[in-house]
């Protein structure tokens, strides 16, 4: 059977470009739709360089109904992987309308275009940020939801919409039901081992790993460690960092699972994509210094609003139902981040 054709929204971005590499290497045909609001076509040129394979590209906004309708008319798409979205928590607090319009409305236009074209297989980029307060730091998919900022709420709203679309299939006696995997990412870091693609944040990074690597390369002077008075062994925050290549392999497993027995009657199901292992901020700094031999200048400052002490995945469901588990360790994540950063000090510019 010929491999499927996958439409990848946001495919020029950090995670999307890594997904394109894995998809092409697994012999899928791919078409990328990206408005380049947070990426450059250079990433896609490098994807083709790494794989020696071509992909289709449309510079379009997912909110542009006409453009999407034309793309679905022209390309025979089997499955959509939906990465396109805005992702900066701070910006989402300042411009919530922009986030709801881009992420939530954009997804509605996409699902309408899919439905009109009869494409009903979707893998969605959700986030661990949809989880609410919990008594355990190890989050399982059935834990209560309760995002605390507009970015997180945009992801939670999209999850709700997709669950409702799927539930409506039974009421409408749909012969071809929606098959939807909601992938809740923990903290993706690292880069492709070639060093040709990686994370290229706009301006000063918000997230820990790109900040640390820019201190190491000398672009930034000092890391601020947000709090050392958390109830964790060294007092700094603990997160579940996952190598971006492991993460995107989870998407391929999800596409395969949508064709399997578990989704035979359709459905919409969340899966955590994390390693199940947490590391503190100071453990990340130590690992970076050890693996790269570069000193990381840091100072302890106050806590960042909205941060949890500790958050890591229970990844059991993804193992049991998708046959996926993360394979790379922290040293791999650090080495690949540094390989990308040192070979591309200005990112894709
Ligand atoms: P990214 O910004 O590098 O990639 C997103 C891509 O989507 C960019 O290329 C951007 O130009 C494109 N895009 C944004 N809005 C668009 C629109 N309206 N129409 C078309 N294209 C649009 O981000 P990323 O880190 O690769 O994240 C990908 C997805 O994963 C996002 O949905 C994000 O919310 C989610 N996610 C990311 C993380 C993370 O830490 N990176 C964690 C959890 C979830
Ligand atoms: C952040 C987002 C979350 C998003 C995730 C994506 C917030 C509040 N949350 O989560 O919605 O899904 O990124 O990966 O922004 N840290 C420092 N100094 C820094 C940066 C971070 O000490 O300069 C610490 C943080 O306090 C935290 C850890 O490093 O303990 C990881 O931070 P970060 O990379 O921003 O990820 P999250 O906070 O998990």
């Amino acid at each position: 059977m010929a491999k499927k054709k996958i439409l990848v929204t946001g495919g020029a971005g950090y995670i999307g470009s890594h997904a394109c590499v894995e998809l092409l290497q697994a012999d899928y045909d791919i078409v990328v739709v990206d408005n380049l609001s947070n990426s450059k076509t250079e990433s896609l040129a490098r994807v083709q360089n790494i794989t020696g394979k071509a992909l289709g590209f449309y510079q379009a906004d997912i909110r542009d109904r006409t453009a999407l309708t034309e793309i679905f008319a022209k390309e025979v798409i089997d499955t959509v992987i939906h990465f396109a979205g805005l992702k900066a928590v701070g910006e989402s607090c300042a411009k919530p309308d922009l986030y709801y319009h881009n992420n939530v409305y954009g997804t509605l236009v996409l699902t309408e275009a899919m439905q009109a074209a009869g494409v009903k297989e979707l893998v969605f980029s959700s986030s661990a940020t949809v989880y609410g307060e919990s008594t355990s730091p190890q989050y399982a998919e059935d834990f209560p939801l309760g995002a605390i900022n507009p970015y997180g709420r945009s992801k939670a709203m999209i999850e709700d919409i997709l669950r409702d679309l799927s539930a409506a299939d039974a009421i409408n006696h749909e012969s071809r039901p929606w098959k939807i995997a909601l992938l809740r990412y923990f903290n993706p870091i690292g880069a492709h081992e070639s060093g040709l693609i990686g994370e290229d944040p706009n301006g000063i990074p918000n997230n820990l790993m790109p900040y640390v690597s820019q201190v190491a390369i000398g672009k930034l002077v000092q890391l601020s460690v947000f709090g050392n008075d958390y109830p964790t062994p060294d007092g700094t925050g603990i997160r579940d960092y996952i190598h971006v290549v492991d993460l995107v392999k989870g998407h391929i497993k999800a596409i395969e699972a949508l064709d399997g027995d578990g989704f035979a009657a359709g459905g919409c199901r969340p899966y955590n994509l994390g390693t199940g292992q947490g590391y503190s901020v100071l453990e990340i700094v130590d690992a970076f210094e050890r693996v790269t031999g570069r000193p990381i200048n840091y100072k302890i400052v106050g806590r960042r609003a909205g941060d949890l002490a500790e958050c890591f995945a229970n990844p059991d469901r993804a193992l049991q139902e998708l046959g996926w588990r993360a394979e790379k360790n922290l040293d791999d994540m650090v080495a690949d981040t540094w390989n990308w950063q040192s070979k591309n000090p200005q990112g894709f510019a």
Side-chain angles (χ1 to χ4, degrees), residues 29 102 292:
D29 281 338
N102 195 80
T292 68

Side-chain angles (χ1 to χ4, degrees), residues 45-58:
R46 295 192 187 184
V47 165
Q48 297 178 93
N49 210 336
I50 292 168
T51 59
K53 293 182 179 175
L55 52 75
F57 173 63
Y58 294 89

Side-chain angles (χ1 to χ4, degrees), residues 186 240-243 246 273-278 313 315 324 326 328 333:
F186 280 68
D240 185 336
Y241 298 93
I242 174 168
H243 197 295
D246 275 337
L273 294 186
T275 65
Q277 157 92 53
W324 171 89
K328 294 180 184 280
M333 301 184 216

